[in-house]
Amino acid sequence: PGYCNNMLDRGQLQYMAFGCCSISPIIPEVLPFNRKLVPWEHYISCEDNYSDLMELLLSKHFGSFVGTYLTIGANAKKFFQETCTPQALGAWIKEHL
């Protein structure tokens, strides 16, 4: 993430917009349309102290996870497009007027 472990920060949100798979402790934020990020669907969840980070990155099974990482990145991009683009935010605002 960025400034805070358990906060969706600008950098991570930008990576999501580009369809990148990211690793982060649990992100509890609620985004427009009452949507929440789901670990292992929109990002890879790790421990708050990052103690499992090397295991996630250097797993002997890395090759079998590549498809998963690509899918997570694509899911993150779709989630971003549904909740954070100007069009999505405009629709969300109209919904609440």
Side-chain angles (χ1 to χ4, degrees), residues 29-86:
E29 269 85 17
V30 178
L31 281 87
F33 303 104
N34 237 4
R35 305 267 313 270
K36 286 187 170 189
L37 292 164
V38 178
W40 291 95
E41 183 178 336
H42 302 118
Y43 66 100
I44 295 173
S45 174
C46 70
E47 298 293 331
D48 281 345
N49 65 1
Y50 300 91
S51 61
D52 59 344
L53 186 60
M54 292 308 290
E55 180 182 337
L56 290 168
L57 293 173
L58 300 176
S59 170
K60 64 181 176 183
H61 305 291
F62 178 79
S64 63
F65 291 137
V66 170
T68 301
Y69 299 151
L70 295 172
T71 300
I72 291 171
N75 291 343
K77 183 175 184 172
K78 184 175 185 270
F79 186 86
F80 175 88
Q81 291 170 340
E82 294 171 350
T83 59
C84 298
T85 63

Side-chain angles (χ1 to χ4, degrees), residues 32-33 86-97:
F33 303 104
Q87 295 81 6
L89 292 172
W92 180 65
I93 290 168
K94 285 180 185 177
E95 184 179 290
H96 287 86
L97 290 177

